[in-house]
Amino acid sequence: MSIVHLRRARTSLVLDARGPGLPRVVHWGADLGPLPADDLPALVDATVPPVVPSSFDAPTVLSLLPEASAGWSGRPGLAGHRDGRDWSTAFRLDTVDVDDPRGDGGDAVRVPGKERDHGGAGAARVTVRAADPGAGLSLTVEITLSTAGLLTVRHRLRNDGDRPYEVRELTPVLPVPAVAAELLDLTGRWCRERAPQRHPWPMGAWVREGRHGRTGHDATLLLVAGTPGFGFGHGEVWAVHTAWSGDHVTVAERRPTGEATLGGGELLTPGEIRLGPGEEYATPLLYAVHSADGLDGLSDVLHTHLRARPEHPRDPRPVTLNVWEAVYFDHDLDRLKGLADRAAEVGVERFVLDDGWFRGRRHDRAGLGDWWVDDDVWPDGLQPLIDHVRKHGMQFGLWVEPEMVNPDSDLFRAHPDWVLQAPGRLPPEWRHQQVLDLAHPDAYAHLLGRLDAVLREHDGIAYLKWDHNRDLTEAGHAGRPGVHAQTVAVYRLLDELRARHPGLEIESCSSGGARVDLEILRRTDRVWASDCNDALERLSIQRWTGLLLPPELIGTHIGPERSHTTHRVHDLGFRAVTALFGHHGIEWDISGISATERTELAAWVALHKRLRPLLHGGRVVRVDHPDPAVQAHGVVAHDRSHAVYAVSRLATSAAQVPGAVRLPGLDPARRYLVRPPAGVPEPALLELAPPGWLASDGGVTLSGSVLGSVGLQLPALHPEQALLLELTAAD
Ligand code: DGJ
């Protein structure tokens, strides 16, 4: 038992694990440097709060699992009982194992070879074991600090008693200091995912619950607490992400006693988790990240961590054409072949056949569940289209929505009991569909068998777009609440399918972006950020999705001139610049577009491919611009020799000239040639003469320090237009 100091990248974690109770996080935040072991007790003492009037007679110890027995009167870390007994715990520390292969972690005890399934090579890991024999419970806390500085915490609770124990809530929490006085989180809805909201952090709990049975359009990908006024490039910030694709909760709690915590876990329905003797419940991973340099610093840690995962997609992300907005349910082989021809001409590398290919699926009211190719529409099956697509050198992808069933389907008619439901009634329909109960072994086996068969029976399906188009409502399994079991079963299904089909890529789509979380992303290769392809809406959706995920994991497609979901009209330049910064694609019927448009589209696709190594490997930066009508972001290569920025005008501004845009992330000591990239048209400008630097064909050469501190005056762009700038180091 010891005081443990873990250090990775720019983050330190100090745990007081001397017992007798659960460890206390003494510090989670900026790297403290290589502290001598002798300094650690003094550090701990310096952080112990005083005893104040009208309070407990000893300082409250806020552990990773807050307990009333340690003087905590905020939200409990564990809520549960055994028939009304064992409702409060006082865990006592048994062992603390530290596996810190490259660290200088104080007087830590080193235990080699404790690989866990997350954190990655080179991570520091602490495993805490504690028990409360009186309550008949034991607890394991798994803490990992990855080489990127990303912290994860998971609790495992085991029932050591001889009668069942019900878990109502088990939530890891981390303390944040009082300087973090402002909160930022995200909400959203269909076609408007990831809307930021921020406010001072008041006393009480700011609780973000998602009861959708999926991650949810409104899920806060990060809950951020920071120094007041923090921005993308400034301020100290702490954030957590609850990695779970079922019901979940993410909480910021500030107490009048002075403590402030961030935490997150699963949202359990009464009766959902009943542990039999010897059984264990594991929480979702709580990811936690700190940055001394604003929100971009959070993304740095997260993106670096995600990119280091062995499962992270490494091949160049193929430019994708998805046929949904081009043909909807109107499947016709010749028409789709024609679309594939046009796609190949403009440089597409993956062609995805969306909803509508399987039995009875002529509209969204029938067919889900019947995963056989529809002979009426596809008399020769899908293979002719697959072959045609592959002949062009493109990959073929196929849409599925495995967890769902239409009541108007052969599957439902044969197995009405294979549906999640409360006893005696079906949940209200949503898009005319119900949810298959994947905790039902026969339903699971059937579905795995069908998906496997579709993949085996066709030569060349490289990719599945895996959709999920409704909330889980009254989602019961065998008469009990079933969201937890369903979520676990979906993970198992994905894992099993991938194991059977190595190399298969999967996209996580859920009515657009309603299943975006780091647990689904351990078994999928990208997310569909939104069903809204309107570039103006997309700018915000992608910016905030990108807080968590690097661009290569976010599907960003060029939609049609008139957006199908908002009816706004945008020129190709604005749509293309917006879609450039992600896993690029097209979602548009390009079979009827003019030759000029086709040439321009091909130029944008070619530009994306040229910039792809930078866009999918570099550091994402966003500009803190004072004018809300201006949004700018960029990607800078790690050696800072190359960068690309987009400056978009969202609306008109109060000021005629909105002010210079500072370009963050460059090397202050180097000089950069700045100019719009060649080969693609520049936006039409709203002025008599553009700024001098833009007027000259050769661009302008300026130092990184000037570009970062003074910035560039921009040309006056029309609203809903964007200017792209490419920077190359001149020396
Ligand atoms: C919802 C998805 O988000 C869309 O992209 C499309 O695949 C439809 N479902 C198909 O039904």
Side-chain angles (χ1 to χ4, degrees), residues 324 354-355 399 431 465 467 469 509 511-512 528 531 587:
W324 178 240
D354 210 279
D355 196 355
W399 179 96
R431 207 189 187 208
K465 175 178 174 183
D467 209 340
N469 286 308
C509 170
S511 321
W528 184 227
D531 274 351
E587 190 135 347

Side-chain angles (χ1 to χ4, degrees), residues 18 91 106 127 130 188 285 311 353 380 537 562 569 571 597:
R18 293 174 299 183
F91 284 105
T127 308
L285 283 173
E311 68 268 28
L353 182 65
D380 300 315
E537 302 288 337
R562 180 181 288 279
V569 173
D571 64 26
E597 255 184 318

Side-chain angles (χ1 to χ4, degrees), residues 238-498:
W238 292 256
V240 292
H241 166 79
T242 310
W244 191 245
S245 318
D247 294 346
H248 64 283
V249 58
T250 310
V251 190
E253 184 173 18
R254 181 183 285 286
R255 311 240 339 111
T257 40
E259 301 92 347
T261 59
L262 296 178
E266 195 175 355
L267 199 56
L268 298 168
T269 301
E272 186 154 25
I273 300 289
R274 248 172 125 239
L275 299 178
E279 285 182 350
E280 181 183 273
Y281 167 73
T283 65
L285 283 173
L286 179 71
Y287 286 78
V289 53
H290 167 264
S291 153
D293 308 312
L295 299 168
D296 284 354
L298 297 180
S299 297
D300 281 344
V301 175
L302 286 154
H303 297 183
T304 307
H305 172 85
L306 292 170
R307 285 173 169 164
R309 302 169 307 154
E311 68 268 28
H312 195 73
R314 297 203 192 277
D315 302 340
R317 301 291 70 216
V319 174
T320 298
L321 184 135
N322 182 296
V323 308
W324 178 240
E325 290 202 357
V327 302
Y328 291 104
F329 291 107
D330 187 10
H331 285 200
D332 173 83
L333 178 60
D334 289 337
R335 182 172 175 198
L336 287 162
K337 276 176 153 177
L339 191 55
D341 296 339
R342 296 290 88 75
E345 275 166 30
V346 299
V348 165
E349 298 162 312
R350 175 183 281 164
F351 184 89
V352 179
L353 182 65
D354 210 279
D355 196 355
W357 57 268
F358 47 96
R359 271 190 205 157
R361 189 66 169 173
R362 302 280 56 78
H363 42 66
D364 65 8
R365 292 182 300 286
L368 282 176
D370 295 343
W371 301 110
W372 282 267
V373 179
D374 192 322
D375 300 334
D376 292 345
V377 186
W378 296 92
D380 300 315
L382 297 179
Q383 201 61 51
L385 180 64
I386 299 176
D387 292 343
H388 189 79
V389 164
R390 295 180 77 208
K391 207 175 67 212
H392 279 301
M394 297 187 288
Q395 294 180 13
F396 182 83
L398 190 65
W399 179 96
V400 288
E401 192 179 357
E403 296 134 273
M404 299 295 162
V405 61
N406 286 118
D408 185 359
S409 66
D410 292 342
L411 183 70
F412 185 84
R413 281 183 281 273
H415 302 285
D417 54 320
W418 283 6
V419 163
L420 289 171
Q421 56 193 291
R425 61 175 178 271
L426 284 172
E429 285 183 17
W430 176 317
R431 207 189 187 208
H432 321 286
Q433 62 197 57
Q434 298 288 1
V435 187
L436 276 183
D437 176 2
L438 296 188
H440 190 301
D442 297 340
Y444 179 93
H446 167 81
L447 189 58
L448 176 62
R450 275 321 304 152
L451 292 170
D452 187 43
V454 168
L455 291 169
R456 275 184 210 288
E457 285 160 9
H458 295 95
D459 180 22
I461 300 178
Y463 177 81
L464 290 181
K465 175 178 174 183
W466 187 297
D467 209 340
H468 180 289
N469 286 308
R470 67 158 295 165
D471 279 6
L472 274 55
T473 314
E474 283 206 301
H477 159 76
R480 309 269 306 268
V483 172
H484 173 85
Q486 178 78 359
T487 310
V488 172
V490 172
Y491 292 153
R492 187 156 59 91
L493 182 66
L494 282 157
D495 291 343
E496 217 159 327
L497 203 63
R498 286 175 74 110

Side-chain angles (χ1 to χ4, degrees), residues 129-186:
R129 290 193 179 77
D132 179 346
L137 295 169
S138 53
L139 180 78
T140 303
V141 184
E142 297 173 354
I143 301 162
T144 301
L145 187 61
S146 82
T147 48
L150 185 66
L151 182 66
T152 58
V153 185
R154 189 203 293 283
H155 290 330
R156 293 180 188 277
L157 184 76
R158 199 182 64 212
N159 178 11
D160 295 333
D162 49 17
R163 282 176 302 122
Y165 178 87
E166 175 172 356
V167 184
R168 293 287 292 109
E169 182 169 349
L170 182 61
T171 311
V173 299
L174 290 161
V176 287
V179 291
E182 190 173 340
L183 292 179
L184 164 78
D185 63 344
L186 307 174

Side-chain angles (χ1 to χ4, degrees), residues 34-69:
L35 294 179
D38 289 352
D39 282 8
L40 291 174
L43 165 64
V44 174
D45 287 347
T47 62
V48 174
V51 172
V52 292
S54 186
S55 73
F56 295 107
D57 297 336
T60 298
V61 177
L62 171 63
S63 75
L64 288 153
L65 184 92
E67 294 173 293
S69 58

